[in-house]
Amino acid sequence: MAKGYEKNQERLMTLSRYAKDLVRRSGAKCELCEATNVKLSIFEVPPVEVEPHIDDCIFICETCKEQLENPKRVDSNHWRCLNNTLWSDVPVVQVIALRMLKKLADAGEFWAEELLGMAYPSDEISNWVAMAD
Ligand SMILES: [Zn+2]
């Protein structure tokens, strides 16, 4: 039983080492909604590899995290922020933005569909987006 627990602890330790670099990369703002002066935490974007990697992580606020983890709580208005973050220089941020926009578009959000129509992600990003859980 201890094995899974230890593995998880190990993973959390590794992830916590990324915090400094993620603060720098994000400018201490939520990488999705750009909220400042809020608690930011590391979120691993699926599919999660055996070994954690900073390029698979985003640094986000509680609101974004809660809605990513609980699709039923998604408040489409909150995600208007993707208007900006869709154009992020950070590939994994683009990936999560595109996945969320697809979900919103499927749910009938017209603005999300429009925004998706303007995005021309690279093949690499598109493949990554398609690897969603
Ligand atoms: Zn946020």
Side-chain angles (χ1 to χ4, degrees), residues 30-35 40 60-65 78 81:
C30 172
E31 286 190 297
L32 293 176
C33 74
E34 302 184 311
L40 297 171
I60 55 172
C61 73
E62 294 291 302
T63 308
C64 287
K65 193 171 176 193
H78 177 72
C81 57

Side-chain angles (χ1 to χ4, degrees), residues 35-95:
T36 51
N37 297 316
V38 291
K39 181 177 172 259
L40 297 171
S41 51
I42 300 172
F43 178 82
E44 287 189 275
V45 173
V48 172
E49 306 282 335
V50 180
E51 292 298 324
H53 198 277
I54 192 166
D55 292 337
D56 296 332
C57 295
I58 51 176
F59 204 43
I60 55 172
C61 73
E62 294 291 302
T63 308
C64 287
K65 193 171 176 193
E66 199 195 341
Q67 295 192 31
L68 283 176
E69 287 173 344
N70 305 287
K72 283 194 185 127
R73 303 233 178 113
V74 169
D75 165 17
S76 63
N77 270 329
H78 177 72
W79 297 99
R80 297 266 181 171
C81 57
L82 297 178
N83 254 313
N84 291 329
T85 34
L86 179 60
W87 317 106
S88 168
D89 293 333
V90 182
V92 69
V93 173
Q94 283 183 47
V95 167

